[in-house]
PDB file of all heavy atoms in Angstrom:
ATOM      1  N   GLY A 929      12.975  12.909   9.230  1.00  0.00           N
ATOM      2  CA  GLY A 929      11.641  12.360   9.076  1.00  0.00           C
ATOM      3  C   GLY A 929      11.551  11.448   7.871  1.00  0.00           C
ATOM      4  O   GLY A 929      12.375  11.523   6.966  1.00  0.00           O
ATOM      5  N   ILE A 930      10.550  10.589   7.899  1.00  0.00           N
ATOM      6  CA  ILE A 930      10.281   9.694   6.782  1.00  0.00           C
ATOM      7  C   ILE A 930       8.778   9.727   6.531  1.00  0.00           C
ATOM      8  O   ILE A 930       7.984   9.513   7.444  1.00  0.00           O
ATOM      9  CB  ILE A 930      10.737   8.249   7.083  1.00  0.00           C
ATOM     10  CG1 ILE A 930      12.256   8.209   7.309  1.00  0.00           C
ATOM     11  CG2 ILE A 930      10.334   7.311   5.940  1.00  0.00           C
ATOM     12  CD1 ILE A 930      12.797   6.850   7.696  1.00  0.00           C
ATOM     13  N   ASP A 931       8.418  10.038   5.290  1.00  0.00           N
ATOM     14  CA  ASP A 931       7.013  10.074   4.895  1.00  0.00           C
ATOM     15  C   ASP A 931       6.738   8.859   4.010  1.00  0.00           C
ATOM     16  O   ASP A 931       7.440   8.647   3.021  1.00  0.00           O
ATOM     17  CB  ASP A 931       6.715  11.367   4.135  1.00  0.00           C
ATOM     18  CG  ASP A 931       5.260  11.469   3.751  1.00  0.00           C
ATOM     19  OD1 ASP A 931       4.396  11.253   4.623  1.00  0.00           O
ATOM     20  OD2 ASP A 931       4.980  11.747   2.556  1.00  0.00           O
ATOM     21  N   ILE A 932       5.740   8.079   4.402  1.00  0.00           N
ATOM     22  CA  ILE A 932       5.400   6.872   3.655  1.00  0.00           C
ATOM     23  C   ILE A 932       3.973   7.022   3.140  1.00  0.00           C
ATOM     24  O   ILE A 932       3.047   7.280   3.911  1.00  0.00           O
ATOM     25  CB  ILE A 932       5.496   5.626   4.560  1.00  0.00           C
ATOM     26  CG1 ILE A 932       6.899   5.514   5.161  1.00  0.00           C
ATOM     27  CG2 ILE A 932       5.121   4.368   3.785  1.00  0.00           C
ATOM     28  CD1 ILE A 932       7.007   4.481   6.264  1.00  0.00           C
ATOM     29  N   LYS A 933       3.808   6.854   1.829  1.00  0.00           N
ATOM     30  CA  LYS A 933       2.462   6.918   1.240  1.00  0.00           C
ATOM     31  C   LYS A 933       1.656   5.709   1.736  1.00  0.00           C
ATOM     32  O   LYS A 933       2.160   4.581   1.741  1.00  0.00           O
ATOM     33  CB  LYS A 933       2.543   6.869  -0.292  1.00  0.00           C
ATOM     34  CG  LYS A 933       3.327   7.992  -0.910  1.00  0.00           C
ATOM     35  CD  LYS A 933       2.453   9.161  -1.191  1.00  0.00           C
ATOM     36  CE  LYS A 933       3.325  10.196  -1.880  1.00  0.00           C
ATOM     37  NZ  LYS A 933       2.731  11.363  -2.249  1.00  0.00           N
ATOM     38  N   PRO A 934       0.432   5.932   2.175  1.00  0.00           N
ATOM     39  CA  PRO A 934      -0.383   4.840   2.730  1.00  0.00           C
ATOM     40  C   PRO A 934      -0.540   3.648   1.790  1.00  0.00           C
ATOM     41  O   PRO A 934      -0.554   2.495   2.237  1.00  0.00           O
ATOM     42  CB  PRO A 934      -1.738   5.493   3.002  1.00  0.00           C
ATOM     43  CG  PRO A 934      -1.464   6.949   3.066  1.00  0.00           C
ATOM     44  CD  PRO A 934      -0.268   7.205   2.198  1.00  0.00           C
ATOM     45  N   GLU A 935      -0.620   3.910   0.500  1.00  0.00           N
ATOM     46  CA  GLU A 935      -0.850   2.816  -0.450  1.00  0.00           C
ATOM     47  C   GLU A 935       0.330   1.850  -0.557  1.00  0.00           C
ATOM     48  O   GLU A 935       0.192   0.746  -1.082  1.00  0.00           O
ATOM     49  CB  GLU A 935      -1.229   3.351  -1.842  1.00  0.00           C
ATOM     50  CG  GLU A 935      -0.188   4.245  -2.476  1.00  0.00           C
ATOM     51  CD  GLU A 935      -0.368   5.726  -2.178  1.00  0.00           C
ATOM     52  OE1 GLU A 935      -1.116   6.088  -1.255  1.00  0.00           O
ATOM     53  OE2 GLU A 935       0.271   6.525  -2.882  1.00  0.00           O
ATOM     54  N   VAL A 936       1.486   2.253  -0.043  1.00  0.00           N
ATOM     55  CA  VAL A 936       2.660   1.380  -0.114  1.00  0.00           C
ATOM     56  C   VAL A 936       2.756   0.461   1.113  1.00  0.00           C
ATOM     57  O   VAL A 936       3.509  -0.497   1.112  1.00  0.00           O
ATOM     58  CB  VAL A 936       3.933   2.225  -0.307  1.00  0.00           C
ATOM     59  CG1 VAL A 936       4.623   2.542   0.981  1.00  0.00           C
ATOM     60  CG2 VAL A 936       4.904   1.543  -1.225  1.00  0.00           C
ATOM     61  N   VAL A 937       1.942   0.739   2.124  1.00  0.00           N
ATOM     62  CA  VAL A 937       1.966  -0.072   3.341  1.00  0.00           C
ATOM     63  C   VAL A 937       1.062  -1.292   3.134  1.00  0.00           C
ATOM     64  O   VAL A 937      -0.161  -1.185   3.107  1.00  0.00           O
ATOM     65  CB  VAL A 937       1.504   0.745   4.573  1.00  0.00           C
ATOM     66  CG1 VAL A 937       1.518  -0.120   5.819  1.00  0.00           C
ATOM     67  CG2 VAL A 937       2.380   1.973   4.748  1.00  0.00           C
ATOM     68  N   ASP A 938       1.692  -2.431   2.984  1.00  0.00           N
ATOM     69  CA  ASP A 938       0.978  -3.693   2.797  1.00  0.00           C
ATOM     70  C   ASP A 938       1.470  -4.663   3.871  1.00  0.00           C
ATOM     71  O   ASP A 938       2.625  -5.094   3.832  1.00  0.00           O
ATOM     72  CB  ASP A 938       1.261  -4.246   1.401  1.00  0.00           C
ATOM     73  CG  ASP A 938       0.582  -5.570   1.128  1.00  0.00           C
ATOM     74  OD1 ASP A 938      -0.104  -6.102   2.023  1.00  0.00           O
ATOM     75  OD2 ASP A 938       0.757  -6.085   0.005  1.00  0.00           O
ATOM     76  N   PRO A 939       0.627  -4.984   4.837  1.00  0.00           N
ATOM     77  CA  PRO A 939       1.052  -5.893   5.913  1.00  0.00           C
ATOM     78  C   PRO A 939       1.559  -7.229   5.399  1.00  0.00           C
ATOM     79  O   PRO A 939       2.333  -7.910   6.063  1.00  0.00           O
ATOM     80  CB  PRO A 939      -0.198  -6.087   6.758  1.00  0.00           C
ATOM     81  CG  PRO A 939      -1.159  -5.053   6.329  1.00  0.00           C
ATOM     82  CD  PRO A 939      -0.750  -4.578   4.974  1.00  0.00           C
ATOM     83  N   GLU A 940       1.152  -7.603   4.200  1.00  0.00           N
ATOM     84  CA  GLU A 940       1.601  -8.870   3.609  1.00  0.00           C
ATOM     85  C   GLU A 940       2.963  -8.740   2.926  1.00  0.00           C
ATOM     86  O   GLU A 940       3.550  -9.742   2.533  1.00  0.00           O
ATOM     87  CB  GLU A 940       0.558  -9.360   2.582  1.00  0.00           C
ATOM     88  CG  GLU A 940      -0.834  -9.545   3.141  1.00  0.00           C
ATOM     89  CD  GLU A 940      -0.890 -10.642   4.193  1.00  0.00           C
ATOM     90  OE1 GLU A 940      -0.237 -11.678   4.010  1.00  0.00           O
ATOM     91  OE2 GLU A 940      -1.592 -10.435   5.216  1.00  0.00           O
ATOM     92  N   ASP A 941       3.441  -7.499   2.750  1.00  0.00           N
ATOM     93  CA  ASP A 941       4.700  -7.294   2.018  1.00  0.00           C
ATOM     94  C   ASP A 941       5.560  -6.235   2.714  1.00  0.00           C
ATOM     95  O   ASP A 941       5.887  -5.195   2.137  1.00  0.00           O
ATOM     96  CB  ASP A 941       4.404  -6.884   0.572  1.00  0.00           C
ATOM     97  CG  ASP A 941       5.651  -6.870  -0.299  1.00  0.00           C
ATOM     98  OD1 ASP A 941       6.692  -7.412   0.134  1.00  0.00           O
ATOM     99  OD2 ASP A 941       5.586  -6.312  -1.406  1.00  0.00           O
ATOM    100  N   ILE A 942       5.927  -6.493   3.929  1.00  0.00           N
ATOM    101  CA  ILE A 942       6.780  -5.584   4.703  1.00  0.00           C
ATOM    102  C   ILE A 942       8.174  -5.495   4.085  1.00  0.00           C
ATOM    103  O   ILE A 942       8.835  -4.465   4.150  1.00  0.00           O
ATOM    104  CB  ILE A 942       6.863  -6.051   6.178  1.00  0.00           C
ATOM    105  CG1 ILE A 942       5.482  -6.025   6.817  1.00  0.00           C
ATOM    106  CG2 ILE A 942       7.855  -5.218   6.978  1.00  0.00           C
ATOM    107  CD1 ILE A 942       4.837  -4.665   6.856  1.00  0.00           C
ATOM    108  N   GLU A 943       8.623  -6.550   3.447  1.00  0.00           N
ATOM    109  CA  GLU A 943       9.965  -6.590   2.856  1.00  0.00           C
ATOM    110  C   GLU A 943      10.143  -5.502   1.792  1.00  0.00           C
ATOM    111  O   GLU A 943      11.179  -4.827   1.751  1.00  0.00           O
ATOM    112  CB  GLU A 943      10.230  -7.967   2.243  1.00  0.00           C
ATOM    113  CG  GLU A 943      11.657  -8.127   1.762  1.00  0.00           C
ATOM    114  CD  GLU A 943      11.926  -9.534   1.251  1.00  0.00           C
ATOM    115  OE1 GLU A 943      11.259 -10.489   1.689  1.00  0.00           O
ATOM    116  OE2 GLU A 943      12.824  -9.655   0.408  1.00  0.00           O
ATOM    117  N   THR A 944       9.147  -5.291   0.959  1.00  0.00           N
ATOM    118  CA  THR A 944       9.245  -4.251  -0.068  1.00  0.00           C
ATOM    119  C   THR A 944       9.333  -2.871   0.573  1.00  0.00           C
ATOM    120  O   THR A 944      10.150  -2.047   0.163  1.00  0.00           O
ATOM    121  CB  THR A 944       8.043  -4.316  -1.027  1.00  0.00           C
ATOM    122  OG1 THR A 944       8.064  -5.579  -1.696  1.00  0.00           O
ATOM    123  CG2 THR A 944       8.090  -3.196  -2.052  1.00  0.00           C
ATOM    124  N   LEU A 945       8.521  -2.615   1.572  1.00  0.00           N
ATOM    125  CA  LEU A 945       8.575  -1.327   2.273  1.00  0.00           C
ATOM    126  C   LEU A 945       9.947  -1.123   2.907  1.00  0.00           C
ATOM    127  O   LEU A 945      10.529  -0.047   2.806  1.00  0.00           O
ATOM    128  CB  LEU A 945       7.480  -1.251   3.335  1.00  0.00           C
ATOM    129  CG  LEU A 945       7.462   0.027   4.183  1.00  0.00           C
ATOM    130  CD1 LEU A 945       7.324   1.266   3.295  1.00  0.00           C
ATOM    131  CD2 LEU A 945       6.331  -0.044   5.198  1.00  0.00           C
ATOM    132  N   SER A 946      10.469  -2.156   3.516  1.00  0.00           N
ATOM    133  CA  SER A 946      11.794  -2.085   4.126  1.00  0.00           C
ATOM    134  C   SER A 946      12.856  -1.752   3.078  1.00  0.00           C
ATOM    135  O   SER A 946      13.730  -0.908   3.304  1.00  0.00           O
ATOM    136  CB  SER A 946      12.116  -3.410   4.815  1.00  0.00           C
ATOM    137  OG  SER A 946      13.402  -3.371   5.370  1.00  0.00           O
ATOM    138  N   ASP A 947      12.785  -2.402   1.921  1.00  0.00           N
ATOM    139  CA  ASP A 947      13.747  -2.149   0.841  1.00  0.00           C
ATOM    140  C   ASP A 947      13.661  -0.705   0.343  1.00  0.00           C
ATOM    141  O   ASP A 947      14.680  -0.066   0.085  1.00  0.00           O
ATOM    142  CB  ASP A 947      13.504  -3.107  -0.331  1.00  0.00           C
ATOM    143  CG  ASP A 947      13.878  -4.545  -0.015  1.00  0.00           C
ATOM    144  OD1 ASP A 947      14.592  -4.773   0.990  1.00  0.00           O
ATOM    145  OD2 ASP A 947      13.448  -5.440  -0.772  1.00  0.00           O
ATOM    146  N   ILE A 948      12.442  -0.199   0.228  1.00  0.00           N
ATOM    147  CA  ILE A 948      12.261   1.185  -0.227  1.00  0.00           C
ATOM    148  C   ILE A 948      12.824   2.158   0.807  1.00  0.00           C
ATOM    149  O   ILE A 948      13.468   3.148   0.457  1.00  0.00           O
ATOM    150  CB  ILE A 948      10.771   1.488  -0.523  1.00  0.00           C
ATOM    151  CG1 ILE A 948      10.295   0.661  -1.728  1.00  0.00           C
ATOM    152  CG2 ILE A 948      10.570   2.974  -0.807  1.00  0.00           C
ATOM    153  CD1 ILE A 948       8.792   0.714  -1.952  1.00  0.00           C
ATOM    154  N   LEU A 949      12.595   1.891   2.090  1.00  0.00           N
ATOM    155  CA  LEU A 949      13.140   2.752   3.150  1.00  0.00           C
ATOM    156  C   LEU A 949      14.664   2.778   3.112  1.00  0.00           C
ATOM    157  O   LEU A 949      15.283   3.837   3.202  1.00  0.00           O
ATOM    158  CB  LEU A 949      12.652   2.287   4.521  1.00  0.00           C
ATOM    159  CG  LEU A 949      11.201   2.582   4.852  1.00  0.00           C
ATOM    160  CD1 LEU A 949      10.780   1.831   6.107  1.00  0.00           C
ATOM    161  CD2 LEU A 949      10.973   4.067   5.004  1.00  0.00           C
ATOM    162  N   VAL A 950      15.272   1.616   2.986  1.00  0.00           N
ATOM    163  CA  VAL A 950      16.736   1.541   2.921  1.00  0.00           C
ATOM    164  C   VAL A 950      17.243   2.316   1.700  1.00  0.00           C
ATOM    165  O   VAL A 950      18.201   3.097   1.804  1.00  0.00           O
ATOM    166  CB  VAL A 950      17.205   0.071   2.881  1.00  0.00           C
ATOM    167  CG1 VAL A 950      18.685  -0.027   2.534  1.00  0.00           C
ATOM    168  CG2 VAL A 950      16.931  -0.608   4.219  1.00  0.00           C
ATOM    169  N   ALA A 951      16.613   2.139   0.564  1.00  0.00           N
ATOM    170  CA  ALA A 951      17.024   2.846  -0.649  1.00  0.00           C
ATOM    171  C   ALA A 951      16.901   4.357  -0.473  1.00  0.00           C
ATOM    172  O   ALA A 951      17.794   5.118  -0.887  1.00  0.00           O
ATOM    173  CB  ALA A 951      16.192   2.385  -1.848  1.00  0.00           C
ATOM    174  N   ALA A 952      15.823   4.793   0.142  1.00  0.00           N
ATOM    175  CA  ALA A 952      15.601   6.230   0.334  1.00  0.00           C
ATOM    176  C   ALA A 952      16.650   6.830   1.269  1.00  0.00           C
ATOM    177  O   ALA A 952      17.212   7.892   0.988  1.00  0.00           O
ATOM    178  CB  ALA A 952      14.199   6.479   0.888  1.00  0.00           C
ATOM    179  N   VAL A 953      16.929   6.157   2.375  1.00  0.00           N
ATOM    180  CA  VAL A 953      17.928   6.675   3.328  1.00  0.00           C
ATOM    181  C   VAL A 953      19.310   6.685   2.689  1.00  0.00           C
ATOM    182  O   VAL A 953      20.055   7.666   2.803  1.00  0.00           O
ATOM    183  CB  VAL A 953      17.918   5.857   4.642  1.00  0.00           C
ATOM    184  CG1 VAL A 953      19.092   6.231   5.526  1.00  0.00           C
ATOM    185  CG2 VAL A 953      16.603   6.073   5.384  1.00  0.00           C
ATOM    186  N   ASN A 954      19.666   5.609   1.985  1.00  0.00           N
ATOM    187  CA  ASN A 954      20.974   5.567   1.331  1.00  0.00           C
ATOM    188  C   ASN A 954      21.112   6.650   0.258  1.00  0.00           C
ATOM    189  O   ASN A 954      22.170   7.279   0.129  1.00  0.00           O
ATOM    190  CB  ASN A 954      21.237   4.185   0.733  1.00  0.00           C
ATOM    191  CG  ASN A 954      21.561   3.159   1.784  1.00  0.00           C
ATOM    192  OD1 ASN A 954      22.036   3.481   2.870  1.00  0.00           O
ATOM    193  ND2 ASN A 954      21.305   1.899   1.478  1.00  0.00           N
ATOM    194  N   GLU A 955      20.060   6.877  -0.498  1.00  0.00           N
ATOM    195  CA  GLU A 955      20.096   7.928  -1.522  1.00  0.00           C
ATOM    196  C   GLU A 955      20.229   9.302  -0.879  1.00  0.00           C
ATOM    197  O   GLU A 955      20.951  10.168  -1.374  1.00  0.00           O
ATOM    198  CB  GLU A 955      18.848   7.861  -2.401  1.00  0.00           C
ATOM    199  CG  GLU A 955      18.849   8.852  -3.545  1.00  0.00           C
ATOM    200  CD  GLU A 955      19.998   8.662  -4.537  1.00  0.00           C
ATOM    201  OE1 GLU A 955      20.466   7.533  -4.719  1.00  0.00           O
ATOM    202  OE2 GLU A 955      20.431   9.675  -5.127  1.00  0.00           O
ATOM    203  N   ALA A 956      19.542   9.512   0.235  1.00  0.00           N
ATOM    204  CA  ALA A 956      19.630  10.791   0.945  1.00  0.00           C
ATOM    205  C   ALA A 956      21.054  11.033   1.436  1.00  0.00           C
ATOM    206  O   ALA A 956      21.607  12.131   1.266  1.00  0.00           O
ATOM    207  CB  ALA A 956      18.653  10.816   2.115  1.00  0.00           C
ATOM    208  N   ILE A 957      21.667  10.033   2.029  1.00  0.00           N
ATOM    209  CA  ILE A 957      23.051  10.165   2.522  1.00  0.00           C
ATOM    210  C   ILE A 957      24.002  10.446   1.365  1.00  0.00           C
ATOM    211  O   ILE A 957      24.867  11.324   1.458  1.00  0.00           O
ATOM    212  CB  ILE A 957      23.462   8.899   3.295  1.00  0.00           C
ATOM    213  CG1 ILE A 957      22.678   8.812   4.615  1.00  0.00           C
ATOM    214  CG2 ILE A 957      24.973   8.875   3.552  1.00  0.00           C
ATOM    215  CD1 ILE A 957      22.821   7.489   5.335  1.00  0.00           C
ATOM    216  N   LYS A 958      23.830   9.718   0.274  1.00  0.00           N
ATOM    217  CA  LYS A 958      24.691   9.916  -0.904  1.00  0.00           C
ATOM    218  C   LYS A 958      24.562  11.342  -1.438  1.00  0.00           C
ATOM    219  O   LYS A 958      25.561  11.991  -1.754  1.00  0.00           O
ATOM    220  CB  LYS A 958      24.307   8.899  -1.985  1.00  0.00           C
ATOM    221  CG  LYS A 958      25.134   8.994  -3.236  1.00  0.00           C
ATOM    222  CD  LYS A 958      24.686   7.940  -4.253  1.00  0.00           C
ATOM    223  CE  LYS A 958      25.406   8.113  -5.574  1.00  0.00           C
ATOM    224  NZ  LYS A 958      24.899   7.166  -6.581  1.00  0.00           N
TER     225      LYS A 958
END
């Protein structure tokens, strides 16, 4: 599962959310 805080969801800045998701998944695997 992935939990995303609502305040981080900005339709104008999907790239930042994507970067945070990638970082979180990579950190979890590590």
